Amino acid sequence: MRRRVAALLFALGASVGLVACGTPRAPVNGRVPEPPSTAPTLTRVAAQVDVVGPRGQMNQARREQALQAAAAQGKSDLLKRQIAAMSAFGDVDLYAGNDAQLLVDGPATFAAMFAAIEKARRQIVLESYIIEDADVSRQLADLLLKRRADGLEVAVLYDGVGSIGTDETYFDRLRQGGIAVCAFNPVNPLKQRTRYHKITQRDHRKMLVIDGETGFTGGINISAVYSSGSGGFGGRSASKAPRPQAASSEASGRTGGKAGDKGDDKGDDKGDDKGDDKADENGWRDTMIQVRGPATQALHTMFREVWSQQHCEGTVAAIEPPPGPPAGQQLMRVIPSTPQDTENRIYTLLLGSIRAAQRSAYLTMAYFAPGQDMVDALCEAAQRGVDVQLILPSRSDFGPVMHAGRSHYERMLKAGVRIHELQDAVLHAKTAVIDGVVSTVGSSNMDWRSFVHNNEVNAVVLGEDFGGAMTRMFERDRGASKTIELQRWQDRGLWQRGKEYFSRMFEQWW
């Protein structure tokens, strides 16, 4: 109880601090470049990007080959146009020869992660916003301690706020077993190892890297809320992952919030919160991606950089994977972001891809408070005939963001954007597929906290093969959602409108 009271007081203090700090800076620096009017040639696109393959940096000819392989999956002009739109914002680093697999919900994700840890030969590094003291994390601890006893290097990095409810004895047990453990920006000033940092800067990434060869990233924390999957959709029947029983805290990079909260309303069927228990019973809907190949090295480098910047005890060794054939045929980007960036590259990826979209833009977002530029891009895309569809939450563990996002519904619906709210599960996924050829799975929500205050990472897969899998996943989620109709939305009550108005006022602070 005392920990929960302390967390609440911290959340209130941080909220006051946010308002006092003034308007956050914009995530895009300067004028937004116009999307390409036509699809450029493959040669021109290859000259605008850097590509790393299994044997290292590629020259122009090999870059063209890698791009051609992705383009040959289908919709080549759309792919070239999208890559050109990315290049308009600056450098584009691509990785060729990857195998990328979608992991839907917690059971499938935990099963895949545990299996990879079992097979590790040299090193295991884990970075998570939340590591909760629940059955799944205790089973993870047992496995990590076993692998450390086998002689492997093991390092664990967790966020000081995200894991504030976890008893220190959990991490002490890991340390006593020889595992290197470090808290990102601890709340307790006596435990801080770096110079003063803003309390709002959090490490919201979720990553696991095995031997520098296999990586996982996306939205899933080490938390009990993922144990059952999201009802009939996810990995409940398809996985043998551990199934802890208790619920835990998850605030998605925010200060405060509690997993399993039913929102702050009990609204009607016009899109307000349901106030029932089905979402809690059916778990949380989320997505991860498993990667093998050169893109994994980008995740590994990110972990080592943060470990060093935080002055964590010990060093995490660099690992070069042994030479061998490509793990797969996927062309990828790995996009990190930090509050120190002059421009948020995850934001510019999403904004540029939506502005360049010709056919479709399907977004699934747990926290949607995107700001004017992003809403403009979505509306303009729909008005020029692009099939723009959003899957957003019908309930949330942090109501103000949901209401801020709903304040944009009427304008988007009038522009032709189709909006669906997921039912009977808490939506926590952060995914998008644009034109069927640009797919992103990551930790970053479409809100200002992700774009301005957090460490985040998104994995991007280029090409129609993976895009097709993403589209099918979107369609299944849409089948579990309720479509918001313009007329019924306009009939919503004054109480709902008032919550939207208030939340919109503080959209940049949520």
Short mmCIF file of all heavy atoms in Angstrom, two decimals, residues 7-57:
data_model
loop_
_atom_site.label_atom_id
_atom_site.label_comp_id
_atom_site.label_asym_id
_atom_site.label_seq_id
_atom_site.Cartn_x
_atom_site.Cartn_y
_atom_site.Cartn_z
N ALA A 7 3.77 6.07 -5.27
CA ALA A 7 3.67 6.20 -6.73
C ALA A 7 2.65 7.26 -7.11
O ALA A 7 2.85 8.04 -8.05
CB ALA A 7 3.30 4.86 -7.36
N LEU A 8 1.51 7.31 -6.36
CA LEU A 8 0.49 8.30 -6.64
C LEU A 8 1.01 9.71 -6.37
O LEU A 8 0.80 10.64 -7.18
CB LEU A 8 -0.75 8.03 -5.79
CG LEU A 8 -1.89 9.04 -5.92
CD1 LEU A 8 -2.40 9.08 -7.35
CD2 LEU A 8 -3.03 8.68 -4.95
N LEU A 9 1.69 9.89 -5.24
CA LEU A 9 2.25 11.21 -4.94
C LEU A 9 3.27 11.62 -5.98
O LEU A 9 3.32 12.79 -6.40
CB LEU A 9 2.90 11.18 -3.54
CG LEU A 9 1.92 11.03 -2.36
CD1 LEU A 9 2.70 10.86 -1.07
CD2 LEU A 9 0.98 12.22 -2.27
N PHE A 10 4.07 10.66 -6.43
CA PHE A 10 5.05 10.95 -7.47
C PHE A 10 4.35 11.39 -8.75
O PHE A 10 4.75 12.34 -9.42
CB PHE A 10 5.89 9.71 -7.74
CG PHE A 10 6.75 9.81 -8.98
CD1 PHE A 10 7.91 10.57 -8.97
CD2 PHE A 10 6.37 9.18 -10.14
CE1 PHE A 10 8.68 10.66 -10.11
CE2 PHE A 10 7.13 9.27 -11.28
CZ PHE A 10 8.30 10.01 -11.26
N ALA A 11 3.25 10.68 -9.10
CA ALA A 11 2.52 11.01 -10.32
C ALA A 11 1.95 12.42 -10.26
O ALA A 11 2.03 13.18 -11.21
CB ALA A 11 1.41 9.99 -10.54
N LEU A 12 1.38 12.77 -9.10
CA LEU A 12 0.82 14.11 -8.96
C LEU A 12 1.90 15.18 -9.06
O LEU A 12 1.73 16.19 -9.73
CB LEU A 12 0.09 14.23 -7.61
CG LEU A 12 -1.20 13.38 -7.47
CD1 LEU A 12 -1.70 13.45 -6.03
CD2 LEU A 12 -2.26 13.87 -8.44
N GLY A 13 3.03 14.94 -8.40
CA GLY A 13 4.12 15.89 -8.47
C GLY A 13 4.66 16.06 -9.86
O GLY A 13 4.96 17.17 -10.32
N ALA A 14 4.80 14.94 -10.55
CA ALA A 14 5.31 15.00 -11.92
C ALA A 14 4.34 15.74 -12.83
O ALA A 14 4.75 16.48 -13.73
CB ALA A 14 5.56 13.59 -12.45
N SER A 15 3.03 15.55 -12.62
CA SER A 15 2.03 16.23 -13.44
C SER A 15 2.13 17.74 -13.26
O SER A 15 2.08 18.50 -14.23
CB SER A 15 0.63 15.74 -13.08
OG SER A 15 0.50 14.36 -13.33
N VAL A 16 2.27 18.18 -12.01
CA VAL A 16 2.46 19.61 -11.75
C VAL A 16 3.73 20.11 -12.43
O VAL A 16 3.76 21.18 -13.05
CB VAL A 16 2.49 19.89 -10.24
CG1 VAL A 16 2.86 21.33 -9.98
CG2 VAL A 16 1.15 19.55 -9.61
N GLY A 17 4.78 19.31 -12.35
CA GLY A 17 6.04 19.70 -12.97
C GLY A 17 5.93 19.83 -14.47
O GLY A 17 6.53 20.71 -15.08
N LEU A 18 5.14 18.95 -15.08
CA LEU A 18 4.96 19.01 -16.53
C LEU A 18 4.33 20.33 -16.94
O LEU A 18 4.75 20.99 -17.89
CB LEU A 18 4.07 17.85 -16.99
CG LEU A 18 4.72 16.48 -17.09
CD1 LEU A 18 3.65 15.44 -17.41
CD2 LEU A 18 5.81 16.45 -18.13
N VAL A 19 3.26 20.72 -16.24
CA VAL A 19 2.58 21.97 -16.58
C VAL A 19 3.52 23.15 -16.38
O VAL A 19 3.55 24.09 -17.17
CB VAL A 19 1.31 22.13 -15.73
CG1 VAL A 19 0.66 23.48 -15.97
CG2 VAL A 19 0.33 21.00 -16.04
N ALA A 20 4.33 23.09 -15.32
CA ALA A 20 5.23 24.20 -15.02
C ALA A 20 6.33 24.35 -16.05
O ALA A 20 6.90 25.42 -16.21
CB ALA A 20 5.85 24.00 -13.63
N CYS A 21 6.62 23.28 -16.76
CA CYS A 21 7.73 23.32 -17.71
C CYS A 21 7.38 24.01 -19.02
O CYS A 21 8.23 24.22 -19.87
CB CYS A 21 8.21 21.89 -18.02
SG CYS A 21 9.08 21.14 -16.63
N GLY A 22 6.09 24.34 -19.23
CA GLY A 22 5.71 24.99 -20.47
C GLY A 22 5.49 23.99 -21.58
O GLY A 22 5.58 22.79 -21.41
N THR A 23 5.15 24.51 -22.75
CA THR A 23 4.83 23.66 -23.89
C THR A 23 6.06 22.88 -24.35
O THR A 23 7.11 23.46 -24.57
CB THR A 23 4.32 24.52 -25.06
OG1 THR A 23 3.20 25.27 -24.61
CG2 THR A 23 3.91 23.65 -26.23
N PRO A 24 5.94 21.55 -24.52
CA PRO A 24 7.08 20.77 -25.01
C PRO A 24 7.43 21.19 -26.43
O PRO A 24 6.59 21.67 -27.19
CB PRO A 24 6.56 19.33 -24.97
CG PRO A 24 5.35 19.35 -24.09
CD PRO A 24 4.78 20.71 -24.22
N ARG A 25 8.68 21.00 -26.79
CA ARG A 25 9.09 21.31 -28.16
C ARG A 25 8.43 20.35 -29.14
O ARG A 25 8.02 19.24 -28.78
CB ARG A 25 10.61 21.20 -28.29
CG ARG A 25 11.14 19.80 -28.00
CD ARG A 25 12.60 19.68 -28.34
NE ARG A 25 13.10 18.35 -28.00
CZ ARG A 25 12.91 17.26 -28.72
NH1 ARG A 25 12.18 17.33 -29.83
NH2 ARG A 25 13.39 16.10 -28.35
N ALA A 26 8.30 20.78 -30.38
CA ALA A 26 7.68 19.95 -31.40
C ALA A 26 8.62 18.79 -31.76
O ALA A 26 9.84 18.95 -31.75
CB ALA A 26 7.38 20.78 -32.63
N PRO A 27 8.06 17.63 -32.10
CA PRO A 27 8.91 16.49 -32.44
C PRO A 27 9.52 16.57 -33.82
O PRO A 27 10.39 15.77 -34.18
CB PRO A 27 7.96 15.29 -32.34
CG PRO A 27 6.61 15.86 -32.55
CD PRO A 27 6.64 17.25 -31.99
N VAL A 28 9.08 17.53 -34.65
CA VAL A 28 9.67 17.71 -35.97
C VAL A 28 10.33 19.07 -36.01
O VAL A 28 9.80 20.06 -35.50
CB VAL A 28 8.61 17.56 -37.09
CG1 VAL A 28 7.53 18.61 -36.97
CG2 VAL A 28 9.25 17.62 -38.47
N ASN A 29 11.51 19.13 -36.59
CA ASN A 29 12.33 20.34 -36.58
C ASN A 29 12.21 21.06 -37.92
O ASN A 29 12.70 20.58 -38.94
CB ASN A 29 13.79 19.98 -36.31
CG ASN A 29 14.67 21.20 -36.17
OD1 ASN A 29 14.18 22.30 -35.94
ND2 ASN A 29 15.98 21.01 -36.31
N GLY A 30 11.53 22.20 -37.92
CA GLY A 30 11.43 22.97 -39.16
C GLY A 30 10.27 22.53 -40.03
O GLY A 30 9.34 21.85 -39.62
N ARG A 31 10.36 22.88 -41.29
CA ARG A 31 9.29 22.64 -42.25
C ARG A 31 9.22 21.16 -42.62
O ARG A 31 10.24 20.50 -42.84
CB ARG A 31 9.53 23.48 -43.51
CG ARG A 31 8.48 23.33 -44.59
CD ARG A 31 8.79 24.29 -45.75
NE ARG A 31 7.88 24.05 -46.86
CZ ARG A 31 8.10 23.17 -47.82
NH1 ARG A 31 9.20 22.43 -47.79
NH2 ARG A 31 7.23 23.00 -48.80
N VAL A 32 8.01 20.64 -42.71
CA VAL A 32 7.82 19.25 -43.10
C VAL A 32 7.97 19.15 -44.62
O VAL A 32 7.27 19.84 -45.36
CB VAL A 32 6.43 18.75 -42.68
CG1 VAL A 32 6.21 17.31 -43.15
CG2 VAL A 32 6.28 18.84 -41.16
N PRO A 33 8.89 18.31 -45.12
CA PRO A 33 9.09 18.21 -46.57
C PRO A 33 7.88 17.61 -47.26
O PRO A 33 7.15 16.79 -46.70
CB PRO A 33 10.31 17.29 -46.70
CG PRO A 33 10.36 16.53 -45.43
CD PRO A 33 9.80 17.42 -44.37
N GLU A 34 7.65 18.04 -48.50
CA GLU A 34 6.56 17.51 -49.29
C GLU A 34 6.88 16.08 -49.72
O GLU A 34 8.03 15.75 -50.00
CB GLU A 34 6.31 18.38 -50.52
CG GLU A 34 5.77 19.76 -50.21
CD GLU A 34 4.41 19.70 -49.55
OE1 GLU A 34 3.59 18.86 -49.96
OE2 GLU A 34 4.18 20.50 -48.62
N PRO A 35 5.87 15.22 -49.80
CA PRO A 35 6.12 13.85 -50.28
C PRO A 35 6.47 13.86 -51.76
O PRO A 35 6.13 14.80 -52.49
CB PRO A 35 4.79 13.14 -50.03
CG PRO A 35 3.77 14.24 -50.01
CD PRO A 35 4.47 15.43 -49.43
N PRO A 36 7.19 12.86 -52.25
CA PRO A 36 7.55 12.81 -53.68
C PRO A 36 6.29 12.75 -54.54
O PRO A 36 5.32 12.08 -54.19
CB PRO A 36 8.39 11.55 -53.79
CG PRO A 36 8.03 10.72 -52.61
CD PRO A 36 7.68 11.68 -51.52
N SER A 37 6.33 13.46 -55.66
CA SER A 37 5.16 13.49 -56.54
C SER A 37 5.02 12.21 -57.34
O SER A 37 3.91 11.82 -57.72
CB SER A 37 5.25 14.69 -57.48
OG SER A 37 6.47 14.66 -58.22
N THR A 38 6.15 11.56 -57.62
CA THR A 38 6.14 10.29 -58.35
C THR A 38 7.13 9.33 -57.70
O THR A 38 7.98 9.74 -56.89
CB THR A 38 6.53 10.49 -59.83
OG1 THR A 38 7.84 11.06 -59.89
CG2 THR A 38 5.54 11.41 -60.54
N ALA A 39 7.03 8.07 -58.08
CA ALA A 39 7.97 7.07 -57.55
C ALA A 39 9.32 7.24 -58.26
O ALA A 39 9.38 7.19 -59.49
CB ALA A 39 7.43 5.67 -57.78
N PRO A 40 10.41 7.43 -57.54
CA PRO A 40 11.72 7.55 -58.17
C PRO A 40 12.22 6.21 -58.69
O PRO A 40 11.64 5.17 -58.40
CB PRO A 40 12.61 8.06 -57.03
CG PRO A 40 11.96 7.55 -55.80
CD PRO A 40 10.49 7.52 -56.07
N THR A 41 13.29 6.26 -59.44
CA THR A 41 13.87 5.02 -59.94
C THR A 41 14.56 4.27 -58.81
O THR A 41 14.92 4.84 -57.78
CB THR A 41 14.90 5.29 -61.04
OG1 THR A 41 16.00 6.02 -60.46
CG2 THR A 41 14.29 6.11 -62.18
N LEU A 42 14.75 2.97 -59.02
CA LEU A 42 15.42 2.15 -58.01
C LEU A 42 16.85 2.64 -57.78
O LEU A 42 17.33 2.67 -56.64
CB LEU A 42 15.43 0.69 -58.47
CG LEU A 42 15.86 -0.33 -57.41
CD1 LEU A 42 14.80 -0.46 -56.33
CD2 LEU A 42 16.10 -1.69 -58.05
N THR A 43 17.52 3.04 -58.84
CA THR A 43 18.90 3.54 -58.71
C THR A 43 18.96 4.78 -57.84
O THR A 43 19.84 4.92 -56.98
CB THR A 43 19.48 3.84 -60.10
OG1 THR A 43 19.49 2.64 -60.87
CG2 THR A 43 20.89 4.39 -59.99
N ARG A 44 17.99 5.66 -58.04
CA ARG A 44 17.97 6.89 -57.24
C ARG A 44 17.68 6.59 -55.77
O ARG A 44 18.31 7.16 -54.87
CB ARG A 44 16.92 7.86 -57.80
CG ARG A 44 16.86 9.17 -57.05
CD ARG A 44 15.84 10.11 -57.65
NE ARG A 44 15.69 11.33 -56.89
CZ ARG A 44 14.80 12.27 -57.12
NH1 ARG A 44 13.96 12.13 -58.15
NH2 ARG A 44 14.72 13.34 -56.36
N VAL A 45 16.74 5.69 -55.53
CA VAL A 45 16.42 5.33 -54.14
C VAL A 45 17.63 4.72 -53.46
O VAL A 45 17.96 5.04 -52.32
CB VAL A 45 15.23 4.36 -54.10
CG1 VAL A 45 15.02 3.84 -52.69
CG2 VAL A 45 13.96 5.04 -54.60
N ALA A 46 18.33 3.82 -54.18
CA ALA A 46 19.51 3.16 -53.61
C ALA A 46 20.60 4.16 -53.26
O ALA A 46 21.38 3.94 -52.31
CB ALA A 46 20.04 2.12 -54.59
N ALA A 47 20.68 5.25 -54.00
CA ALA A 47 21.69 6.27 -53.73
C ALA A 47 21.34 7.11 -52.50
O ALA A 47 22.21 7.80 -51.95
CB ALA A 47 21.86 7.18 -54.95
N GLN A 48 20.08 7.05 -52.04
CA GLN A 48 19.63 7.89 -50.94
C GLN A 48 19.68 7.18 -49.58
O GLN A 48 19.39 7.79 -48.55
CB GLN A 48 18.19 8.36 -51.19
CG GLN A 48 18.05 9.27 -52.40
CD GLN A 48 16.59 9.60 -52.71
OE1 GLN A 48 15.70 8.83 -52.38
NE2 GLN A 48 16.38 10.75 -53.33
N VAL A 49 20.04 5.89 -49.58
CA VAL A 49 19.99 5.12 -48.33
C VAL A 49 21.32 4.42 -48.09
O VAL A 49 22.13 4.25 -49.00
CB VAL A 49 18.84 4.08 -48.37
CG1 VAL A 49 17.50 4.76 -48.55
CG2 VAL A 49 19.08 3.04 -49.46
N ASP A 50 21.52 4.03 -46.84
CA ASP A 50 22.63 3.15 -46.46
C ASP A 50 22.05 1.79 -46.12
O ASP A 50 21.02 1.70 -45.44
CB ASP A 50 23.40 3.72 -45.26
CG ASP A 50 24.11 5.02 -45.57
OD1 ASP A 50 24.73 5.10 -46.65
OD2 ASP A 50 24.02 5.95 -44.75
N VAL A 51 22.71 0.73 -46.56
CA VAL A 51 22.21 -0.61 -46.31
C VAL A 51 23.35 -1.47 -45.75
O VAL A 51 24.44 -1.51 -46.32
CB VAL A 51 21.64 -1.27 -47.59
CG1 VAL A 51 21.05 -2.65 -47.25
CG2 VAL A 51 20.58 -0.39 -48.23
N VAL A 52 23.06 -2.15 -44.64
CA VAL A 52 23.99 -3.10 -44.04
C VAL A 52 23.40 -4.49 -44.21
O VAL A 52 22.23 -4.73 -43.90
CB VAL A 52 24.21 -2.80 -42.55
CG1 VAL A 52 25.05 -3.89 -41.90
CG2 VAL A 52 24.88 -1.44 -42.38
N GLY A 53 24.24 -5.40 -44.73
CA GLY A 53 23.83 -6.78 -44.90
C GLY A 53 24.61 -7.70 -43.99
O GLY A 53 25.40 -7.25 -43.15
N PRO A 54 24.45 -9.00 -44.14
CA PRO A 54 25.18 -9.96 -43.30
C PRO A 54 26.70 -9.81 -43.39
O PRO A 54 27.42 -10.18 -42.45
CB PRO A 54 24.73 -11.31 -43.83
CG PRO A 54 23.38 -11.05 -44.44
CD PRO A 54 23.48 -9.68 -45.03
N ARG A 55 27.18 -9.26 -44.49
CA ARG A 55 28.63 -9.08 -44.65
C ARG A 55 29.06 -7.62 -44.49
O ARG A 55 30.16 -7.26 -44.88
CB ARG A 55 29.07 -9.61 -46.02
CG ARG A 55 28.92 -11.12 -46.18
CD ARG A 55 29.51 -11.58 -47.50
NE ARG A 55 29.46 -13.02 -47.64
CZ ARG A 55 28.43 -13.69 -48.13
NH1 ARG A 55 27.35 -13.03 -48.54
NH2 ARG A 55 28.45 -15.01 -48.23
N GLY A 56 28.20 -6.80 -43.95
CA GLY A 56 28.57 -5.42 -43.70
C GLY A 56 27.94 -4.44 -44.68
O GLY A 56 26.95 -4.73 -45.34
N GLN A 57 28.57 -3.25 -44.75
CA GLN A 57 28.03 -2.16 -45.56
C GLN A 57 27.99 -2.55 -47.04
O GLN A 57 28.93 -3.14 -47.58
CB GLN A 57 28.90 -0.91 -45.39
CG GLN A 57 28.22 0.38 -45.76
CD GLN A 57 27.28 0.88 -44.69
OE1 GLN A 57 27.46 0.57 -43.51
NE2 GLN A 57 26.29 1.65 -45.07
#
